[in-house]
Amino acid sequence: MIPVVGYAAKKAKGPLASYSFKRREPLDHDIVIEIQYCGICHSDIHQVRDEWGGSTFPIVPGHEIAGIVSQVGLKVSHYTVGDRVGVGCFVDSCRRCSPCCKGLEQYCVEGCSLTYNGVERDGKTPTQGGYSNKIVVDENYVLRIPDKLPLDRAAPLMCAGITLYSPLKHWKAGPGRKVAIIGFGGLGHMGVKIAHALGAQVTVLSHSLKKLEDAKRMGAHHFYATSDPKTFENLKGYFDLIVNTVSVELDLNQYTNLLALDGTMVIVGLPEKEMSINAFSLINARRSIAGSVIGGIMETQEMLDFCNKNNISCDIELIPIQKVNEAYQRVINSDVRYRFVIDNKSLKE
Ligand code: NAP
Ligand code: ZN
Ligand code: ZN
């Protein structure tokens, strides 16, 4: 077994603190990655606080992993020692079901093996994430990080990047399409950059005007505060696509009313509590509400290559692991510009 040092929460809502554990020796198709950077996703916070139910402890969060290959199994064919690689939200899946065969492993009917707070394919070995110095992953679930992308700013693409890229592509954000992003945080700022690069007209709906300048710099054409009731009057029936990235419950009816005929609101934010919908806000313009979760390995690689080509990476605040509990509080207060990334060198062996 490989000794690993990380940071874990021992119980729901507990603080994260130093934690030592072991990972498997690499099997034939595994690679060992020295983790250099790991992003802090709001999903880490939801799970550490057990807001979705069913979290298992101790929990080592982290699914926005960037690092360097340090060892490869005997049959590994795609990667060699020294390669720059990433790991996202899952580390395995059944590989047989229809979604898996289509490269949509995130929709595996048996459930994919989440990078942490999950279990391996044996159904019992707990997985632990990227707030740690090493990870062992099957090469089929690893991404190649293109050379032009700095590793620290690329780490959050593994979740925040693909979570917005996938629905923007699926619902055809592009020239002539009016796209709104609700919530300008880790996911939201990536949504603006990607939708802009795809050629769509991009609007941010944020709860205040504080982040307006940043959003414009990242490619937003318009920016409105949702605290201003006029926003909802002026933009009625305007958007073809709305992506909701907010981590708390919203009054969805207010937002569906902003959709044009046949428009779609895609929910990616995962608040603790349920949200309700009034049928009239949908039927009046044949509107749809949809959901989307991360993306498959093939599409995540496509997103990384797209970001490389378009000079897109995340705006980050780099922190040592010792600041992680403070960083969580700032994320909850919507006070991050725009993703915290842990410098894993700060983990002491
Ligand atoms: P984040 O950085 O905290 O961003 C969330 C944004 O929501 C904030 O920046 C803020 O935007 C808005 N917001 C937060 N609290 C609010 C409040 N009380 N009222 C109104 N707006 C509020 O989080 P994230 O990492 O981007 O994640 C966002 C959500 O997506 C989380 O629920 C996360 O679990 C989920 N997620 C889903 C997937 C998926 O595959 N579906 C993947 C990753 C994450 P403004 O300041 O602009 O208003
Ligand atoms: Zn995430
Ligand atoms: Zn499957």
Side-chain angles (χ1 to χ4, degrees), residues 93-109 295-299:
S93 67
C94 87
R95 310 180 190 208
R96 291 181 306 268
C97 72
S98 163
C100 278
C101 292
K102 289 185 191 136
L104 297 167
E105 302 90 349
Q106 74 277 31
Y107 301 115
C108 175
V109 295
I297 294 295
M298 207 166 50
E299 195 175 38

Coordinates of all heavy atoms in Angstrom, one line a residue, residues 93-109 295-299:
S93 N -16.2 3.4 -13.6 CA -17.7 3.2 -13.8 C -17.8 1.8 -14.3 O -16.8 1.1 -14.4 CB -18.2 4.2 -14.8 OG -17.6 4.0 -16.1
C94 N -19.0 1.3 -14.6 CA -19.2 -0.1 -14.9 C -18.6 -0.5 -16.3 O -18.2 -1.6 -16.5 CB -20.7 -0.5 -14.9 SG -21.6 -0.2 -16.4
R95 N -18.5 0.4 -17.2 CA -17.8 0.2 -18.5 C -18.7 -0.6 -19.4 O -18.2 -1.0 -20.5 CB -16.4 -0.3 -18.4 CG -15.5 0.4 -17.4 CD -14.1 -0.2 -17.3 NE -13.4 0.4 -16.2 CZ -12.1 0.5 -16.2 NH1 -11.3 0.0 -17.2 NH2 -11.5 1.0 -15.1
R96 N -19.9 -1.0 -19.0 CA -20.7 -1.9 -19.9 C -22.0 -1.3 -20.3 O -22.6 -1.7 -21.3 CB -21.0 -3.2 -19.1 CG -19.8 -4.1 -18.8 CD -20.3 -5.4 -18.1 NE -21.0 -5.0 -16.8 CZ -20.4 -4.9 -15.7 NH1 -19.1 -5.1 -15.5 NH2 -21.1 -4.5 -14.6
C97 N -22.6 -0.5 -19.4 CA -24.0 0.0 -19.7 C -24.0 0.9 -20.9 O -22.9 1.3 -21.4 CB -24.5 0.7 -18.4 SG -23.7 2.3 -18.1
S98 N -25.2 1.3 -21.3 CA -25.3 2.1 -22.5 C -24.6 3.5 -22.4 O -23.8 3.8 -23.2 CB -26.8 2.2 -22.9 OG -27.0 3.2 -23.8
P99 N -24.9 4.2 -21.3 CA -24.2 5.5 -21.2 C -22.7 5.3 -21.2 O -21.9 6.1 -21.8 CB -24.7 6.1 -19.8 CG -26.0 5.4 -19.6 CD -25.9 4.1 -20.2
C100 N -22.1 4.3 -20.4 CA -20.7 4.1 -20.4 C -20.1 3.8 -21.8 O -19.1 4.4 -22.2 CB -20.3 2.9 -19.5 SG -20.2 3.4 -17.7
C101 N -20.9 3.0 -22.6 CA -20.4 2.7 -23.9 C -20.4 3.9 -24.8 O -19.7 3.9 -25.8 CB -21.2 1.5 -24.5 SG -20.9 0.0 -23.7
K102 N -21.2 4.9 -24.5 CA -21.3 6.1 -25.3 C -20.3 7.2 -24.8 O -20.4 8.3 -25.2 CB -22.7 6.7 -25.3 CG -23.7 5.9 -26.0 CD -25.0 6.6 -26.0 CE -26.2 5.8 -26.5 NZ -27.4 5.9 -25.7
G103 N -19.5 6.8 -23.8 CA -18.6 7.8 -23.2 C -19.3 8.8 -22.3 O -18.8 9.9 -22.1
L104 N -20.5 8.4 -21.8 CA -21.2 9.3 -20.9 C -21.2 8.6 -19.5 O -22.2 8.4 -18.8 CB -22.7 9.5 -21.3 CG -22.8 10.2 -22.7 CD1 -24.2 10.0 -23.2 CD2 -22.5 11.7 -22.5
E105 N -19.9 8.4 -19.0 CA -19.8 7.6 -17.8 C -20.4 8.3 -16.6 O -20.7 7.6 -15.6 CB -18.3 7.4 -17.5 CG -17.5 6.7 -18.5 CD -16.8 7.7 -19.5 OE1 -17.2 8.9 -19.6 OE2 -16.0 7.2 -20.3
Q106 N -20.6 9.6 -16.7 CA -21.2 10.3 -15.5 C -22.7 9.9 -15.3 O -23.2 10.1 -14.3 CB -21.1 11.8 -15.7 CG -22.0 12.5 -16.8 CD -21.5 12.4 -18.2 OE1 -20.8 11.5 -18.6 NE2 -21.9 13.4 -19.0
Y107 N -23.3 9.3 -16.4 CA -24.7 8.8 -16.3 C -24.7 7.2 -16.2 O -25.7 6.6 -16.5 CB -25.5 9.3 -17.5 CG -25.5 10.8 -17.5 CD1 -25.0 11.5 -18.6 CD2 -26.1 11.5 -16.5 CE1 -25.0 12.9 -18.7 CE2 -26.1 12.9 -16.6 CZ -25.6 13.6 -17.7 OH -25.6 15.0 -17.7
C108 N -23.6 6.6 -15.8 CA -23.5 5.1 -15.6 C -24.7 4.6 -14.9 O -25.0 5.2 -13.8 CB -22.2 4.8 -14.9 SG -22.1 3.0 -14.5
V109 N -25.4 3.6 -15.4 CA -26.7 3.2 -14.7 C -26.4 2.5 -13.4 O -27.2 2.5 -12.5 CB -27.6 2.3 -15.6 CG1 -28.1 3.1 -16.8 CG2 -26.8 1.1 -16.1
G295 N -19.4 15.8 -16.9 CA -19.3 15.3 -18.3 C -18.5 14.1 -18.3 O -17.8 13.7 -17.3
G296 N -18.5 13.3 -19.4 CA -17.8 12.1 -19.6 C -16.3 12.4 -19.8 O -15.9 13.5 -20.0
I297 N -15.5 11.3 -19.8 CA -14.0 11.5 -20.0 C -13.7 12.1 -21.4 O -13.0 13.0 -21.5 CB -13.3 10.1 -19.8 CG1 -13.5 9.6 -18.4 CG2 -11.9 10.2 -20.2 CD1 -12.8 10.4 -17.3
M298 N -14.4 11.5 -22.4 CA -14.1 12.0 -23.8 C -14.4 13.5 -23.9 O -13.7 14.3 -24.4 CB -15.0 11.3 -24.7 CG -14.5 11.1 -26.1 SD -15.4 9.8 -27.0 CE -17.1 10.3 -26.8
E299 N -15.6 13.9 -23.3 CA -16.0 15.3 -23.4 C -15.1 16.2 -22.6 O -14.8 17.4 -22.9 CB -17.5 15.5 -23.1 CG -18.0 16.9 -23.5 CD -19.5 17.1 -23.3 OE1 -20.0 16.6 -22.3 OE2 -20.1 17.7 -24.2

